[in-house]
Amino acid sequence: MAQTRYRSLKDLLGEEYVVPGTPLCSGCGALLTFRLFHKALGKKVVWVNAAGCITLMIVYPFSPLKSSWMYTAMGCAPAGAQGIRDALDILIEKGEVDPEEDLKVVVVTGDGAANDIGLQSASGAIHRRLDFYYLCYDNEAFGNTGFQFSPSTPYGSKTMTSLPTPLIPEGHKGRKKDLFEIWRAHNPPYLATVSPSHPMDMMRKIEKAERFKGPKLFISISPCPPGWGYDTMKTIRMARLAVETGVWPLKEAVHGEVRHTFIPRSLKPLEEYLKEQERFKHLFYPLRREDIIGRMQREVEEYWRKVYSTEVLEEKKD
Amino acid sequence: MMRSKLIAELRPRREVVSTITKSKMLTGNVTAAWAARLAEVDYIPAFPITPQTEIIEKLSEWIALGEFKAKLTIVDSEHSMLAAAGTASLTGARVFTATSSQGLLYGFEMLYNIAGWRAPIVLVNVSRAVAAPISLEPDHNDFLSTRDSGFILLQAETCQEVLDLILLAYRVSEDNRVLLPSLVNMDGFHTSFTREPVKIPEIEEVRRFLPKYTQQLPFRASKPSAKGVAVLRPPLYSFYKYQMHLSSINAINVFKEACEKFEECFARRYDVIEKYMLDDSKYAIVMMGSYASIGKKAVRILREEGVSVGLLKLRMIRPLPSKDIRKALEGKKAVAVIDQNISPGLGGILYSDISSILYNSDNKPKVILPVIGGVGGKTITLDEIRYVVELLEKYANGGEPEPILLLREDELREVESLLRIGVGE
Ligand code: SF4
């Protein structure tokens, strides 16, 4: 990281490419990540989108973006990116487009599209070594349709299709799909998780990814005030707690080699993160479900035990 | 596995140049590949499916040999293929792609999108009956399922027509008065794997006919644009759809204009419909695609026997050239529409189209007879067409004919014997 453009938070100032006044919910974590992401990539970008919350950022005739946008369909944003990349490549090669007019092609989708309906299309694009970025904003449910569980929903979360009942006290019984590992199995040159609470980490990762040709993939925790049930002011706090309790590890994989970019000296109790959110309220009221909370805590600890045993503590807490 | 194996068995190995006609003997598939090459397409996203695969095999071979400069990407599905086709077109590339049957249906969602994006790609569909039951033989249910998508739909009868319609399709689709994608259909096996003499024009001649594709607002760094965005006001949505409809209607005259230019360049004449011994006939049958060749032969024989029958071949299905069709069929005593498709619970799809065109005419035929034939590649013989014409004579003075479902006695016997084996008798 010797050559980074991002040394302090001041380096995050500068031109905004997403102007204020989008129709997304106030406090939307996905929008925070999107804004930073755009800053890191610069203006010469075409976003390729699949159905999700971010889709409604642009409703004709208004766009908050200073860059280009292509909405495809829920299942095929990476294929849409393929078409644009291939077209620019062949037209530049034939001398019909000035290389100055070239664009970075960036897929942006929610976790529902990334983990399920669009996974085939993404798998194909990564496998073909398409030169593109993929940003998955993970709010851990289908947010745009009113918060139903997605393959990315964690165990124990309440969603509109996994309501906690006396029969199903934990709410969502499934486990979160490990998209990081699914993508890593395709051996992309660069892959990382990010969080809007750790902007320096995010910016440096995007900067690093720029060095690679091929798929550059990012998954961002994206706290969602209406879905998760917390005050809109607390989005950064939620993201930070996710990182500090260890439930959202910050890591990267360069050519498949995994490294954690933030290793907490000690994990905060997961409970601190859970109890601030309406979606986990049933784990505390009317009865404290020690069994369920304990299971969730143990799963996080299990993850980190492996990390501590394989990786040396490299970075200080920021 | 089955898809590729079948194609390997069926693929003709060499192109034969006929010395008499100075044409090449080509399959419909290789002809389609030639059309894409002559149109100098920039981009071909592809996914293999029988019976279309030979088209992309040929194109990828030419690209690999350096004979043809274009980018071909094999993607993960027809849905992705059509998504990539649409976005590439919006980026300024001339795009060609091809599919069949299940593939077309798998990518169906994107057909509406591509049309709505006003991305003027050309898609070739090599017709094949839709599962279930799974089949490899042709009919038009796959093709006609796209009729409300906004694509311009053209149906080829012969290999030469495959080439010519693809070139015409680019010219019409890319015309600013139209800006809609085209789907050129040929019948699987009957056209895709049948070799016929095809006149392949020189590339300079094609350039004279087909101007370069320019996308008005392509994705470029200096000119940001947003495409495919949400439209949440209902009147705005209606407005866009009406625009698509009106542009589609424009395609009728744009196609006719293009046909004039085409004749000037290549000395072959086309129109939105084709009439065969039709102008002076009392009766008419309506057909399209490769089966129209059988229909024409039947008409010729029946004429020799003194039966006054002619054939209307449909070439342009969307936009539906209503005026041309009405003019061609007005004054006939009775008309049979032979649909090579089936809409269970309705009958034939084209029957409804043709009937609605004629309903308001003062001089409409007394009867329009719905006939279903050729579904799943079932052959239609001269005898069957003779039977249909007999029915026309019977109903000429009125009546309420039910849809006729063609199946010959020998075919029925075959079916029954297979059914017996199927149930283990
Ligand atoms: S529902 Fe959640 S993810 Fe979607 S826009 Fe609102 S805050 Fe953002």
Side-chain angles (χ1 to χ4, degrees), chain A:
Chain A
M1 285 284 169
Q3 294 297 320
T4 181
R5 299 198 288 275
Y6 304 104
R7 297 186 171 281
S8 75
L9 285 172
K10 272 191 287 183
D11 298 323
L12 301 185
L13 299 172
E15 191 172 354
E16 292 286 346
Y17 302 111
V18 189
V19 302
T22 78
L24 302 188
C25 307
S26 57
C28 175
L31 184 60
L32 286 176
T33 296
F34 183 84
R35 218 184 94 207
L36 284 169
F37 219 82
H38 206 334
K39 240 179 199 190
L41 292 174
K43 196 180 163 191
K44 291 185 173 185
V45 161
V46 53
W47 296 92
V48 188
N49 177 236
C53 283
I54 288 249
T55 303
L56 295 179
M57 194 165 63
I58 301 186
V59 176
Y60 188 85
F62 303 109
S63 167
L65 300 184
K66 295 182 184 171
S67 55
S68 285
W69 178 265
M70 176 79 233
Y71 172 73
T72 53
M74 193 157 190
C76 61
Q82 180 88 44
I84 297 177
R85 184 68 268 151
D86 283 346
L88 285 167
D89 284 347
I90 185 74
L91 294 173
I92 289 171
E93 194 186 322
K94 283 184 164 183
E96 285 166 26
V97 169
D98 181 352
E100 278 295 301
E101 293 284 5
D102 199 8
L103 291 160
K104 288 177 185 154
V105 183
V106 191
V107 169
V108 58
T109 81
D111 50 279
N115 281 279
D116 249 4
I117 183 169
L119 183 59
Q120 169 181 305
S121 173
S123 172
I126 302 168
H127 180 245
R128 292 187 298 270
R129 309 315 261 181
L130 178 66
D131 190 22
F132 78 126
Y133 296 80
Y134 192 147
L135 168 61
C136 165
Y137 57 95
D138 186 357
N139 60 8
E140 305 196 314
F142 288 102
N144 197 32
T145 44
F147 215 72
Q148 299 78 27
F149 75 80
S150 84
S152 196
T153 301
Y155 171 72
S157 170
K158 170 187 160 186
T159 71
M160 295 312 285
T161 44
S162 62
L163 296 175
T165 67
L167 287 179
I168 314 163
E170 59 269 77
H172 187 55
K173 287 169 84 85
R175 294 298 197 278
K176 189 176 170 77
K177 240 192 210 183
D178 194 345
L179 185 62
F180 185 89
E181 286 302 317
I182 294 169
W183 276 355
R184 193 166 74 94
H186 292 72
N187 198 21
Y190 192 81
L191 164 65
T193 60
V194 294
S195 167
S197 59
H198 292 65
M200 299 303 285
D201 176 79
M202 187 192 305
M203 301 303 267
R204 285 175 185 165
K205 281 174 173 166
I206 301 163
E207 183 182 40
K208 187 169 181 180
E210 273 176 40
R211 299 207 301 259
F212 301 98
K213 202 172 154 62
K216 297 164 273 276
L217 316 170
F218 295 81
I219 313 168
S220 176
I221 180 96
S222 302
C224 164
W228 292 16
Y230 65 83
D231 190 278
T232 52
M233 286 163 58
K234 291 190 180 166
T235 293
I236 297 291
R237 178 176 165 76
M238 288 306 140
R240 181 174 298 281
L241 279 171
V243 173
E244 290 177 353
T245 57
V247 77
W248 188 264
L250 292 177
K251 54 187 170 180
E252 65 180 6
V254 178
H255 294 300
E257 196 80 31
V258 182
R259 188 181 74 92
H260 285 72
T261 56
F262 174 78
I263 301 183
R265 264 178 226 285
S266 61
L267 300 175
K268 280 192 176 164
L270 186 60
E271 194 180 326
E272 283 188 31
Y273 171 67
L274 301 179
K275 71 181 182 212
E276 293 206 24
Q277 302 174 43
E278 197 64 34
R279 64 174 172 155
F280 296 117
K281 191 175 165 193
H282 58 288
L283 305 181
F284 300 94
Y285 306 100
L287 263 182
R288 190 184 158 86
R289 295 300 304 240
E290 205 59 68
D291 51 341
I292 301 169
I293 302 168
R295 196 173 303 149
M296 293 165 86
Q297 180 70 54
R298 276 196 301 283
E299 279 177 21
V300 175
E301 282 165 8
E302 190 50 40
Y303 176 90
W304 283 99
R305 214 182 339 271
K306 282 184 208 140
V307 176
Y308 287 129
S309 68
T310 51
E311 281 182 50
V312 193
L313 215 112
E314 285 176 68
E315 302 210 355
K316 287 178 279 173
K317 288 188 198 176
D318 57 15

Side-chain angles (χ1 to χ4, degrees), chain A residues 60 69 80 86 93-94 101, chain B residues 42-43 69 73 87 222 227 230:
Chain A
Y60 188 85
W69 178 265
D86 283 346
E93 194 186 322
K94 283 184 164 183
E101 293 284 5
Chain B
D42 300 299
Y43 184 46
K69 195 174 179 69
T73 302
T87 61
S222 64
K227 300 181 196 290

